[in-house]
């Protein structure tokens, strides 16, 4: 697909990564987003945020050609296959990982961070290789050619692009016949030190085999068996890409400021660890039989300084200093400004994160994990926060930047924090303020039933005393807040479907009726739509859940990846990409639909 004013549709990108950072590779062979050495580093290639200034690294045929992308089966190794009037060739893109333990490459090291292996398949194909690096979000000195390599420096890091043929410039052409190969590598190292180059295409293939083996070993731990296996495995692989191996942190998405509406202002930096998003990710991975990620994340949680309050999001190292800044020099994806780095939502009061964290800790314990004294200190503190703070208005799950409200979802998640905290204490014998927690749990449950329920709408509503609906209420079906079969759950699902759905897609709320601080429109949220399918399965409407689920799958990219939202008018993907929220909700819905079909639903629900 040709670029439109320099930009590709988001669905025309594949993602590669090494559990430290990620890159987006376009269907035209261009890496348009890559931050090194880690997810939250300034971009080296950022054309996705500014077609002119952002920088890119492209390998593509000269002249007329067609292309398509596929992942090597059950891996995050990406193939872009090119066909021209004179031949056929493939570019294999990957970020090397160790076959046995990605942590061996978790710290800064001189080995390649991105490898691009180009192989002729038939006839002859003339390629053009272009490296327009733009370190520091396009503000630092561009890359330069020295000694047959392309070099650059920024913020204490040295970047080096090398090849198995000498590089004569940042723009260069070469021709490949059948079985002829050339490999390129990008390394990131400390300033002034060049990373390891590839000595031959065989060197690249050795790294490729080790990387493929790592992904195969990881994904074959998946316990899901059902009709959506390929979709579930691809979502699991996408979630694994979002884990940060050195610390156990999990990012919400690897990008910043990809807009929720083209030309709009809802552009946010998601390259951090949201407690909520990470907890949801762990729940999805638990459902598939993956447990190591939970152990790593809980270790990360145990080192957070929660005594002075639990923040909503943290850096990959667990720090809470997250200033939000605007990069005025970047034009934004298809003119969508501002471009932001950092995220001020870190300092909002979002009471729901207490419940999401404790729910994941409880599931971690149920699945054989341990709760260390250090971790319990953090969790105990969070439960105390829930007991003390649940009556306050907050910004809740959608991080509204308008007026804080008494969001029904936040109150229910405070209930969940207390409920799961009590369960953990009972199961482990760890110390707890049982009387206070039990009393607060009962008070919250009663308040939600009285003030979060609308007799007029026959539904749980967005906030206490309101008749507005919110897709977050669908989570009440998953939480065990009410007994299975309670008619209020089914009527809430019906009301949300009637008011917030656009075909199989679902808006999170009516933007015109919600003061979220931004007048800009937005797309429909993919997580909301999968939540609806999930909720339908949980209340026994399996056939309708399956129908909706199958429809939602059609909005994935050709590679099976989802952004945060969908434009309901065009079907185009919107928002940061790939998005953990979307993939984790796909997994949960697929698992619960299959468990309903198999008559074993209880295993798929949070207790």
């Amino acid at each position: 697909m040709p670029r439109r004013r320099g930009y590709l549709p988001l669905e025309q990108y594949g993602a590669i990564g090494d559990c430290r950072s990620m890159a987006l590779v376009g269907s035209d062979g261009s890496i348009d987003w890559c931050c090194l050495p880690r997810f939250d580093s300034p971009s080296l290639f950022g054309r996705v945020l500014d077609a002119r200034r952002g920088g890119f690294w492209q390998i593509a045929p000269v002249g007329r050609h067609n292309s398509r992308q596929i992942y090597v089966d059950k891996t995050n190794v990406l193939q872009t296959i090119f066909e021209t009037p004179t031949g056929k060739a493939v570019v294999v893109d990957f970020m090397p990982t160790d076959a046995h333990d990605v942590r061996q490459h978790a710290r800064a090291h001189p080995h390649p961070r991105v490898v691009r292996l180009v192989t002729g398949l038939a006839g002859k194909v003339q390629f053009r290789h272009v490296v327009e690096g733009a370190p520091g979000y396009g503000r630092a000195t561009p890359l330069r050619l020295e000694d047959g390599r392309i070099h650059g420096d920024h913020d204490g890091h040295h970047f080096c692009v090398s090849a198995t043929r000498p590089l004569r410039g940042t723009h260069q052409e070469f021709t490949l016949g059948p079985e002829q190969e050339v490999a390129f590598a990008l390394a990131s190292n400390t300033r002034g030190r060049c990373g390891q180059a590839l000595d031959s295409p065989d060197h690249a293939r050795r790294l490729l085999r080790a990387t493929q083996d790592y992904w195969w070993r990881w994904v074959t731990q998946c316990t899901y068996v059902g009709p959506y296996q390929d979709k579930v495995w691809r979502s699991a692989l996408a979630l694994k890409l979002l884990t940060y191996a050195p610390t156990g942190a999990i990012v919400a998405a690897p990008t910043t400021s990809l807009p929720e509406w083209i030309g709009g202002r809802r552009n946010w930096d998601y390259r951090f660890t949201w407690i909520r998003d990470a907890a949801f990710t762990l729940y999805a991975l638990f459902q598939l039989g993956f447990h190591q990620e939970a152990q790593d994340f809980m270790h990360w949680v145990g080192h957070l300084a929660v005594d002075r309050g639990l923040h909503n999001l943290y850096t990959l190292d667990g720090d809470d200093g997250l200033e939000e800044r605007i990069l005025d020099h970047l034009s934004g994806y298809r003119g969508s400004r501002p471009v932001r780095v950092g995220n001020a939502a870190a300092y909002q009061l979002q009471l729901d994160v207490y419940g999401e964290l404790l729910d994941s800790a409880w599931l971690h314990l149920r699945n054989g994990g341990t709760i260390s004294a250090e971790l319990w200190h953090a969790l105990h503190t969070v439960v105390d926060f829930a007991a003390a703070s649940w009556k306050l208005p907050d910004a809740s799950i959608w991080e509204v930047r308008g007026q804080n409200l008494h969001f029904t979802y936040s109150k229910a998640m405070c209930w969940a924090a207390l409920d799961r905290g009590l369960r953990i204490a009972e199961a482990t014998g760890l110390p707890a303020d049982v009387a206070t927690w039990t009393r607060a749990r009962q008070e919250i449950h009663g308040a939600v039933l009285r003030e979060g329920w609308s007799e007029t709408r026959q539904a749980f509503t967005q906030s206490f005393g309101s008749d507005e609906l919110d897709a977050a209420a669908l989570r009440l079906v998953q939480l065990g807040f009410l007994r299975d079969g309670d008619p209020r759950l089914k009527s809430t699902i019906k009301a949300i479907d009637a008011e917030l759905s656009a075909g199989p897609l679902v808006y999170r709320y009516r933007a015109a009726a919600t003061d979220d601080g931004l007048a800009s429109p937005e797309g429909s949220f993919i997580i909301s739509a999968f939540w609806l399918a999930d909720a339908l399965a949980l209340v026994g409407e399996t056939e309708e859940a399956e129908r909706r689920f199958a429809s939602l799958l059609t909005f994935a990219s050709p590679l099976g990846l989802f952004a945060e939202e969908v434009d309901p008018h065009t079907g185009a993907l919107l928002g940061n990409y790939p998005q953990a929220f979307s993939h984790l909700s796909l997994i949960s819905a697929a698992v619960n639909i299959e468990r309903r079909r198999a008559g074993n639903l209880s295993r798929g629900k949070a207790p």
Side-chain angles (χ1 to χ4, degrees):
M1 178 179 289
R3 288 179 177 261
R4 180 180 175 185
R5 296 182 179 178
Y7 298 96
L8 286 176
L10 295 184
E11 52 266 30
Q12 291 298 309
Y13 285 101
I16 59 173
D18 61 358
C19 300
R20 289 174 295 154
S21 186
M22 289 180 67
L24 296 184
V25 186
S27 59
D28 59 358
S30 180
I31 294 180
D32 287 353
W33 181 253
C34 183
C35 299
L36 293 176
R38 44 191 259 171
F39 291 107
D40 56 356
S41 298
S43 61
L44 175 60
F45 304 115
R47 178 154 63 164
V48 75
L49 292 180
D50 191 312
R52 186 167 63 89
R53 300 183 186 90
F56 64 95
W57 180 14
Q58 187 167 19
I59 302 173
V62 176
R64 183 165 56 90
H65 61 273
N66 297 317
S67 68
R68 61 187 178 93
Q69 289 184 311
I70 59 173
Y71 278 115
V72 175
D73 189 34
K74 303 181 187 66
T75 74
N76 284 310
V77 174
L78 183 66
Q79 295 181 333
T80 306
I81 302 163
F82 293 102
E83 294 187 41
T84 74
T86 62
K88 183 176 183 178
V90 60
V91 178
V92 179
D93 287 302
F94 63 99
M95 296 180 76
T97 56
D98 184 84
H100 302 289
D101 186 358
V102 74
R103 284 181 174 276
Q104 291 185 17
H105 292 300
R107 302 293 179 181
H109 61 81
H111 304 298
R113 293 298 303 271
V114 178
V115 173
R116 316 195 72 183
L117 178 62
V118 191
T119 304
L121 300 176
K124 290 188 176 182
V125 179
Q126 184 181 10
F127 279 94
R128 178 176 292 117
H129 175 245
V130 180
V131 182
E132 292 287 351
Y137 302 114
R139 291 180 298 195
T141 303
L143 304 188
R144 63 193 182 276
L145 179 70
E146 291 179 6
D147 302 324
R149 299 184 186 184
I150 298 170
H151 303 266
D153 295 279
H154 179 68
D155 196 27
H157 296 282
H158 184 76
F159 308 106
C160 178
V161 177
S162 60
T164 54
R165 297 182 181 185
L167 295 175
R168 299 189 299 273
T170 56
H171 294 59
Q172 184 173 337
E173 295 183 2
F174 61 93
T175 301
L176 295 180
E179 299 186 355
Q180 292 182 327
E181 294 184 315
V182 59
F184 301 84
L186 167 63
S188 170
N189 208 346
T190 53
R191 181 182 291 275
R193 299 179 60 191
C194 200
Q196 184 183 80
L198 297 173
D199 51 37
S200 68
D202 282 343
H203 184 183
R205 289 210 168 272
R206 289 194 298 272
L207 295 173
L208 175 61
R209 284 192 294 271
T211 302
Q212 290 177 167
D213 193 32
Y214 170 77
W215 292 118
W216 287 332
R217 286 171 181 263
W218 185 81
V219 81
T220 52
Q221 300 173 73
C222 181
T223 57
Y224 172 83
V225 177
Y228 309 114
Q229 185 163 286
D230 288 346
K231 308 298 184 183
V232 167
W233 284 16
R234 177 49 52 201
S235 288
L237 285 162
L239 292 181
K240 179 61 175 175
L241 280 179
L242 298 174
T243 61
Y244 182 65
T247 65
I250 302 171
V251 299
T255 54
T256 180
S257 300
L258 294 181
E260 297 178 19
W261 195 259
I262 302 303
R265 295 182 56 82
R266 298 178 187 267
N267 317 317
W268 315 109
D269 193 346
Y270 279 7
R271 298 171 299 156
F272 308 107
T273 297
W274 269 255
I275 297 296
R276 173 192 309 110
D277 299 48
F280 283 166
T281 297
L282 293 185
Y283 178 53
L285 293 176
F286 276 136
Q287 289 179 299
L288 303 182
F290 298 103
H291 302 298
Q292 184 60 51
E293 290 71 24
Q295 189 68 42
D296 294 342
F297 179 71
M298 290 302 169
H299 178 77
W300 179 84
V301 168
H303 287 81
L304 296 179
V306 299
D307 288 341
R308 60 177 183 268
L310 179 69
H311 292 285
N312 311 304
L313 61 142
Y314 294 85
T315 70
L316 303 176
D317 299 316
D319 298 327
D320 56 15
L322 277 169
E323 177 190 2
E324 183 174 295
R325 297 178 291 113
I326 291 175
L327 302 182
D328 286 324
H329 67 289
L330 296 179
S331 62
Y333 178 77
R334 293 175 59 185
S336 303
R337 303 181 72 180
V339 173
R340 294 181 172 93
V341 294
N343 200 305
Y347 306 109
Q348 291 180 331
L349 179 63
Q350 297 174 17
L351 296 173
D352 64 294
V353 301
Y354 302 156
E356 282 130 5
L357 178 58
L358 265 295
D359 193 33
S360 286
W362 169 236
L363 290 170
H364 172 57
L365 182 66
R366 285 188 60 189
N367 283 275
T370 58
I371 305 294
S372 67
E374 186 176 49
L375 176 58
W376 182 239
H377 172 75
L379 297 175
H380 189 294
T381 303
V382 171
V383 181
D384 286 338
F385 289 155
S389 306
W390 73 269
K391 295 181 181 180
L392 298 174
D394 76 323
S396 199
I397 183 173
W398 305 126
E399 304 183 336
V400 297
R401 297 199 176 193
Q403 179 184 4
N404 281 2
L405 296 172
H406 291 282
F407 285 100
T408 302
Y409 178 72
S410 291
K411 310 304 185 186
M413 292 312 299
C414 285
W415 171 90
L418 291 153
D419 181 74
R420 283 16 171 204
L422 286 164
R423 294 185 187 213
I424 292 171
E426 182 180 5
T428 61
L430 289 165
D433 189 350
V434 174
T436 300
W437 294 359
T438 301
R439 183 171 57 254
R441 180 177 64 174
Q442 293 171 341
E443 290 176 356
I444 297 170
H445 198 271
V448 170
L449 295 183
R450 289 191 310 272
E451 302 178 59
W453 171 261
S454 168
E455 285 292 335
T456 303
R457 304 304 296 273
Q458 285 293 293
F460 288 101
T461 58
Q462 184 179 65
S463 59
F464 280 9
S466 167
D467 282 335
E468 287 299 320
L469 300 181
D470 193 312
L474 295 167
R475 281 273 292 145
L476 295 178
V477 185
Q478 303 169 347
L479 282 175
F481 185 79
L482 294 172
R483 289 192 298 271
D484 287 348
D486 191 298
R488 287 169 291 189
L489 298 178
K490 280 194 173 183
S491 62
T492 297
I493 295 170
K494 183 178 180 180
I496 289 173
D497 186 18
E499 181 159 306
L500 300 182
S501 289
L505 301 171
V506 180
Y507 289 97
R508 55 181 179 170
Y509 48 70
R510 289 197 309 140
T514 300
D515 178 17
D516 62 10
L518 293 167
S520 172
E522 64 183 17
S524 60
F525 271 63
I526 295 168
I527 190 173
S528 301
F530 279 121
W531 273 349
L532 182 55
D534 195 339
L536 287 166
L538 291 172
V539 298
E541 297 186 26
T542 312
E543 185 175 339
E544 178 64 9
E546 288 183 295
R547 185 187 70 79
R548 288 175 176 271
F549 185 87
S551 296
L552 292 172
L553 294 178
T554 66
F555 292 98
S557 78
L559 289 166
L561 299 177
F562 283 97
E564 185 175 28
E565 301 174 33
V566 172
D567 183 336
H569 306 296
T570 66
L573 295 179
L574 296 168
N576 284 309
Y577 175 87
Q579 172 72 226
F581 257 7
S582 301
H583 286 282
L584 64 87
S585 59
L586 181 156
I587 290 170
S588 183
V591 169
N592 284 332
I593 288 170
E594 185 58 23
R595 284 174 173 163
R596 170 61 72 177
R597 283 161 48 95
N600 192 19
L601 183 61
S602 61
R603 289 190 302 139
K605 288 184 63 177

